Amino acid sequence: MYHILQISGDVFRSLGLKMKILITLIFSGLLIGSVILLSFSNNFNDQLLDATLNGSSEFETLHDKFLGGLLKPGFNEGSCLSRYTQSLLYRKPSPYKPSPYLVSKLRRYEKLHKRCGPNTKAYKKATKNLGLDDENYANVSIGKCRYIVWVAVYGLGNRILTLASVFLYALLTERVVLVDQSKDISDLFCEPFPGTSWLLPRDFPLMKQIDGYDKKYSRCYGTMLNNHAISTNSTPRHLYLHILHDSRDEDKMFFCTKDQDMIDKVPWLIVKANVYFVPSLWFNPNFQTELMKLFPQKEAVFHHLARYLYHPTNQVWGMITRYHNAHLARADERLGIQIRVFSDKAGYFQHVMDQILSCTQREKLLPQVVAQEESKLNISQRQKLKAVLVTSLYPEYADHLKNMYWEQPSSTGELIEVYQPSGERFQQTDNKLHDQKALAEMYLLSLTDNIVTSARSTFGYVAHSLGGLKPWLLYQPNDITAPDPPCVRSTSIDPCHLTPPSHGCDAEWGTDSGKVVPFVKHCEDRDNDGLKLFDEL
């Protein structure tokens, strides 16, 4: 090395003065440029970090990678591409910002889950005697970890809504949520918590029993209330919570304060739910105080929880991005139409098609069609392109729209292109590919600018709330005629809690549940039934 440097020095001394000056200037420029570039890089990284932590609007305009602090850095990005890139597909940053209190609560929960989750000493201690029939089990020391197990039942939309509800309850009560993996949850979503798993181990002591739990089960909370078999002095080792469409009044007492005082002492809770029960948690004064701090924008509860919890696997994310880039990305405007027909003989119905056209055209979401000579097309101007994404089990609805806008021009001169990713005709819950397609379509709907969804549809609830969209809700037809008016614009992005408690607790007993607190009101599409959260009162 010394000889090489010596030779290089001799060569440099032999050069003329002008050449020496030129070489010196070149190397000096390169050195200064490198320093400037390094400084710029460091400053940019600092600004990027500050923007992430402080919610900089400039950074969010580019790409809010961590969703306002909801997501924690440090995950392997390649193993779950959607986690840090999902915001790239949204044209505008979400107007709903997570509160600093929610962000800090999520970080605390992640530490709790890592300490108490599967394969930890705490988990092994908590499950050691769980399968034994011991009435005093809850009084035996099992450590400081308490758990709530979510059991997958009903369709994908129900599962997504209920798991978010259970997770919120876990946040409020400092429990660890564990997810039934006997279905296809790991084929749909990545793990949400760093350094641990949310999947319930397959050797869980009650695994072979939980599928058979129903409201007749002796450890069902509603049944125990009926039988006067539970009190603060007699705590079972586990409780089953039945939060389904057929829940009894006793099951719905779960939401009340005095009942929570008893439930809180039980180390293991097993939950089956097919309804989004977040709105009813606000009836509990203790929960309400905490919820107000977590969610100053009350209607955004599911929006934030879904963006934190649900990150499609690479397989599903590939479906979403490919379809988006091929059909939606180049459109000037995107409209989503989600169609669910609740009928014994579901399929294509003309009155449903009439209702969709009536709603979308009255609300100026889609233009009328006109005769060719009435077209406003100006060949010297670029036509506005509107992409319409239709999701339905039946392809005939999209085909009707597609043919209508192909055969005749629109009254506005817009180009209307209609797409439907799939038309499976039958719901095939727990069929891996079917569920992956359904999840992809929910996400694609959430990427639209405006959305029309069917009343009572959990699929639609997930899509519009995930996207932070206030939907036009199609009223459910009572017969074979289209309702008039055909739809209503919601003033909230929150999903609807179907079959909620019909009345309040304690002092509000007998009071219509839609009138207990001012921001929990009846859903617009449910005729004084169902509950949802509203910020616009």
Side-chain angles (χ1 to χ4, degrees):
M1 179 64 72
Y2 171 77
H3 295 298
I4 294 172
L5 292 174
Q6 187 178 36
I7 293 170
S8 299
D10 292 340
V11 171
F12 183 77
R13 282 192 295 273
S14 67
L15 296 174
L17 179 60
K18 289 183 180 180
M19 185 60 71
K20 290 179 181 179
I21 293 172
L22 179 61
I23 292 173
T24 301
L25 288 174
I26 290 172
F27 276 98
S28 298
L30 289 172
L31 181 61
I32 293 170
S34 299
V35 171
I36 292 172
L37 186 61
L38 180 62
S39 175
F40 172 79
S41 175
N42 289 337
N43 287 337
F44 179 76
N45 287 335
D46 290 342
Q47 290 171 6
L48 196 63
L49 181 61
D50 290 342
T52 303
L53 297 176
N54 300 326
S56 164
S57 58
E58 289 184 8
F59 174 67
E60 288 175 349
T61 300
L62 294 172
H63 171 33
D64 185 7
K65 183 175 182 178
F66 302 114
L67 304 180
L70 281 178
L71 305 185
K72 185 178 181 179
F75 282 92
N76 181 319
E77 297 191 26
S79 65
C80 185
L81 297 171
S82 67
R83 191 187 314 274
Y84 296 134
T85 61
Q86 59 180 283
S87 62
L88 285 171
L89 299 188
Y90 291 93
R91 292 186 171 178
K92 301 175 183 177
S94 171
Y96 301 94
K97 308 302 178 187
S99 68
Y101 188 71
L102 172 60
V103 171
S104 65
K105 189 84 169 180
L106 293 173
R107 299 294 87 84
R108 290 199 299 273
Y109 175 82
E110 290 163 356
K111 292 177 182 178
L112 173 67
H113 198 106
K114 194 169 185 179
R115 187 174 74 248
C116 300
N119 301 317
T120 61
K121 290 182 180 179
Y123 174 82
K124 292 174 182 177
K125 183 176 182 180
T127 55
K128 185 176 180 181
N129 299 313
L130 180 58
L132 300 179
D133 190 13
D134 182 359
E135 294 294 331
N136 297 314
Y137 170 79
N139 297 322
V140 176
S141 175
I142 63 164
K144 296 181 179 180
C145 300
R146 294 174 306 135
Y147 300 85
I148 183 165
V149 176
W150 173 85
V151 182
V153 292
Y154 288 82
L156 182 59
N158 302 82
R159 294 178 185 185
I160 292 172
L161 293 173
T162 59
L163 180 50
S165 304
V166 168
F167 177 70
L168 178 57
Y169 177 76
L171 273 186
L172 293 170
T173 57
E174 296 185 345
R175 289 182 180 269
V176 173
V177 64
L178 296 175
V179 174
D180 171 23
Q181 61 170 315
S182 63
K183 304 301 190 289
D184 57 6
I185 189 77
S186 58
D187 295 319
L188 301 174
F189 299 111
C190 306
E191 293 273 5
F193 312 129
T196 183
S197 175
W198 69 345
L199 298 177
L200 180 70
R202 297 186 187 276
D203 61 355
F204 178 63
L206 304 178
M207 182 62 78
K208 294 181 180 179
Q209 305 169 33
I210 56 179
D211 275 350
Y213 288 176
D214 59 22
K215 57 188 177 183
K216 297 177 184 177
Y217 177 50
S218 62
R219 290 291 179 263
C220 176
Y221 182 66
T223 299
M224 294 189 80
L225 279 184
N226 274 337
N227 297 336
H228 306 287
I230 186 170
S231 70
T232 53
N233 299 321
S234 176
T235 309
R237 65 192 185 277
H238 73 274
L239 273 178
Y240 165 60
L241 303 175
H242 188 83
I243 312 178
L244 295 163
H245 62 281
D246 62 349
S247 296
R248 304 157 294 186
D249 277 351
E250 293 82 5
D251 297 306
K252 295 174 184 178
M253 295 302 292
F254 159 77
F255 299 105
C256 298
T257 304
K258 65 181 181 181
D259 297 83
Q260 278 298 317
D261 290 341
M262 288 190 289
I263 293 170
D264 195 57
K265 300 178 185 299
V266 181
W268 285 92
L269 300 178
I270 315 295
V271 182
K272 284 184 182 177
N274 67 348
V275 293
Y276 171 74
F277 60 82
V278 165
S280 296
L281 293 174
W282 295 73
F283 292 155
N284 186 312
N286 296 333
F287 290 165
Q288 187 181 133
T289 301
E290 184 76 354
L291 287 165
M292 296 280 276
K293 293 161 62 179
L294 289 168
F295 303 101
Q297 294 172 297
K298 303 172 192 67
E299 67 183 277
V301 175
F302 180 79
H303 178 67
H304 291 317
L305 295 181
R307 299 205 307 160
Y308 171 72
L309 287 174
Y310 301 130
H311 308 292
T313 59
N314 286 353
Q315 172 70 21
V316 178
W317 193 241
M319 293 180 181
I320 295 167
T321 54
R322 285 191 295 273
Y323 201 90
H324 170 270
N325 294 339
H327 303 296
L328 305 179
R330 63 190 179 87
D332 298 298
E333 187 178 336
R334 300 176 288 202
L335 171 66
I337 303 177
Q338 180 265 335
I339 305 164
R340 174 66 191 272
V341 178
F342 293 95
S343 172
D344 293 336
K345 296 181 179 180
Y348 178 82
F349 294 101
Q350 188 57 48
H351 69 277
V352 175
M353 189 71 249
D354 293 341
Q355 180 184 7
I356 293 164
L357 287 172
S358 177
C359 174
T360 53
Q361 292 179 343
R362 282 192 195 188
E363 300 296 328
K364 310 298 184 186
L365 299 171
L366 284 177
Q368 303 274 351
V369 292
V370 295
Q372 187 63 49
E373 56 271 18
E374 299 177 54
S375 172
K376 294 183 178 180
L377 175 62
N378 185 337
I379 59 173
S380 65
Q381 295 180 346
R382 177 183 173 275
Q383 288 177 274
K384 180 180 177 181
L385 175 60
K386 178 176 287 188
V388 181
L389 178 72
V390 178
T391 64
S392 172
L393 288 172
Y394 307 97
E396 290 86 355
Y397 296 100
D399 289 343
H400 183 101
L401 288 171
K402 193 180 300 183
N403 290 334
M404 186 175 82
Y405 287 108
W406 178 44
E407 293 167 0
Q408 293 178 275
S410 69
S411 59
T412 58
E414 296 171 284
L415 281 176
I416 310 297
E417 293 187 352
V418 181
Y419 303 102
Q420 180 170 344
S422 70
E424 309 262 296
R425 295 200 175 275
F426 301 99
Q427 186 167 330
Q428 304 165 47
T429 300
D430 294 330
N431 176 301
K432 175 182 171 180
L433 184 57
H434 176 85
D435 283 347
Q436 288 181 328
K437 288 179 180 179
L439 179 59
E441 291 182 12
M442 290 180 195
Y443 267 82
L444 287 167
L445 283 171
S446 79
L447 299 173
T448 57
D449 301 300
N450 292 301
I451 189 169
V452 178
T453 66
S454 299
R456 287 181 53 204
S457 173
T458 55
F459 191 113
Y461 291 159
V462 170
H464 75 69
S465 191
L466 178 63
L469 301 169
K470 294 181 179 179
W472 280 264
L473 297 164
L474 294 165
Y475 288 114
Q476 187 173 348
N478 293 321
D479 49 33
I480 58 171
T481 58
D484 188 14
C487 59
V488 59
R489 178 77 186 277
S490 179
T491 57
S492 169
I493 68 169
D494 195 47
C496 181
H497 178 180
L498 304 171
T499 63
S502 59
H503 50 71
C505 303
D506 302 326
E508 290 83 24
W509 186 269
T511 303
D512 181 340
S513 58
K515 298 178 180 178
V516 173
V517 291
F519 43 81
V520 178
K521 299 190 291 185
H522 290 302
C523 308
E524 305 97 328
D525 56 330
R526 291 296 298 144
D527 291 331
N528 292 324
D529 185 19
L531 296 174
K532 65 190 294 186
L533 291 158
F534 291 84
D535 283 308
E536 294 182 30
L537 302 180

Coordinates of all heavy atoms in Angstrom, one line a residue, residues 23-41:
I23 N -7.3 19.1 -10.7 CA -7.6 17.9 -9.9 C -8.0 18.2 -8.5 O -8.9 17.7 -7.9 CB -6.3 17.0 -9.9 CG1 -6.1 16.4 -11.3 CG2 -6.5 15.8 -8.9 CD1 -4.8 15.6 -11.4
T24 N -7.3 19.2 -7.9 CA -7.6 19.7 -6.6 C -9.1 20.2 -6.5 O -9.8 19.9 -5.6 CB -6.7 20.8 -6.1 OG1 -5.3 20.3 -6.2 CG2 -7.0 21.3 -4.7
L25 N -9.5 21.0 -7.5 CA -10.8 21.6 -7.5 C -11.9 20.4 -7.6 O -12.9 20.5 -7.0 CB -11.0 22.5 -8.7 CG -10.3 23.9 -8.6 CD1 -10.4 24.7 -9.9 CD2 -10.9 24.7 -7.4
I26 N -11.6 19.4 -8.5 CA -12.5 18.3 -8.7 C -12.7 17.6 -7.4 O -13.9 17.3 -6.9 CB -12.0 17.4 -9.8 CG1 -12.1 18.1 -11.2 CG2 -12.9 16.1 -9.8 CD1 -11.5 17.3 -12.3
F27 N -11.6 17.2 -6.7 CA -11.7 16.5 -5.5 C -12.4 17.3 -4.4 O -13.2 16.8 -3.5 CB -10.3 16.0 -5.0 CG -9.9 14.7 -5.6 CD1 -9.1 14.7 -6.7 CD2 -10.4 13.5 -5.2 CE1 -8.7 13.5 -7.3 CE2 -10.0 12.3 -5.8 CZ -9.2 12.3 -6.9
S28 N -12.1 18.6 -4.3 CA -12.7 19.5 -3.3 C -14.2 19.6 -3.6 O -15.0 19.5 -2.6 CB -12.1 20.9 -3.4 OG -10.7 20.9 -3.1
G29 N -14.6 19.7 -4.9 CA -16.0 19.7 -5.2 C -16.8 18.5 -4.8 O -17.9 18.5 -4.2
L30 N -16.1 17.3 -5.0 CA -16.7 16.0 -4.6 C -16.8 15.9 -3.1 O -17.9 15.5 -2.6 CB -15.9 14.9 -5.2 CG -15.9 14.6 -6.7 CD1 -14.9 13.6 -7.1 CD2 -17.3 14.2 -7.1
L31 N -15.8 16.4 -2.4 CA -15.9 16.3 -0.9 C -17.0 17.2 -0.4 O -17.8 16.8 0.5 CB -14.5 16.8 -0.4 CG -14.4 16.7 1.2 CD1 -14.6 15.3 1.7 CD2 -13.0 17.2 1.6
I32 N -17.1 18.5 -0.9 CA -18.1 19.4 -0.4 C -19.5 18.9 -0.8 O -20.4 18.9 0.1 CB -17.9 20.8 -1.1 CG1 -16.6 21.4 -0.5 CG2 -19.1 21.7 -0.8 CD1 -16.2 22.7 -1.3
G33 N -19.6 18.3 -2.0 CA -20.9 17.7 -2.4 C -21.4 16.6 -1.5 O -22.5 16.5 -1.1
S34 N -20.4 15.7 -1.1 CA -20.7 14.6 -0.2 C -21.2 15.1 1.1 O -22.1 14.5 1.7 CB -19.5 13.7 -0.1 OG -19.1 13.2 -1.3
V35 N -20.5 16.1 1.6 CA -20.9 16.7 2.9 C -22.3 17.2 2.9 O -23.1 17.0 3.8 CB -19.9 17.7 3.4 CG1 -20.4 18.5 4.6 CG2 -18.5 17.1 3.7
I36 N -22.6 18.0 1.8 CA -23.9 18.6 1.7 C -25.0 17.5 1.6 O -26.0 17.6 2.2 CB -24.0 19.5 0.4 CG1 -23.1 20.8 0.7 CG2 -25.4 20.0 0.1 CD1 -22.9 21.6 -0.6
L37 N -24.7 16.5 0.7 CA -25.6 15.4 0.6 C -25.9 14.7 1.9 O -27.1 14.3 2.2 CB -25.1 14.4 -0.5 CG -26.1 13.3 -0.9 CD1 -27.3 13.9 -1.5 CD2 -25.4 12.3 -1.9
L38 N -24.8 14.4 2.6 CA -25.0 13.7 3.9 C -25.8 14.6 4.9 O -26.7 14.1 5.6 CB -23.6 13.4 4.5 CG -23.6 12.7 5.9 CD1 -24.3 11.3 5.7 CD2 -22.2 12.5 6.4
S39 N -25.5 15.9 4.9 CA -26.3 16.8 5.8 C -27.7 16.8 5.4 O -28.6 16.8 6.2 CB -25.7 18.2 5.7 OG -26.4 19.1 6.4
F40 N -28.0 16.9 4.1 CA -29.4 16.9 3.6 C -30.1 15.6 4.0 O -31.3 15.7 4.4 CB -29.4 17.1 2.1 CG -30.8 16.9 1.5 CD1 -31.7 17.9 1.5 CD2 -31.2 15.7 0.9 CE1 -33.0 17.8 1.0 CE2 -32.4 15.5 0.4 CZ -33.3 16.6 0.4
S41 N -29.4 14.5 3.8 CA -30.0 13.2 4.2 C -30.3 13.2 5.7 O -31.4 12.7 6.0 CB -29.0 12.1 3.8 OG -29.5 10.9 4.3

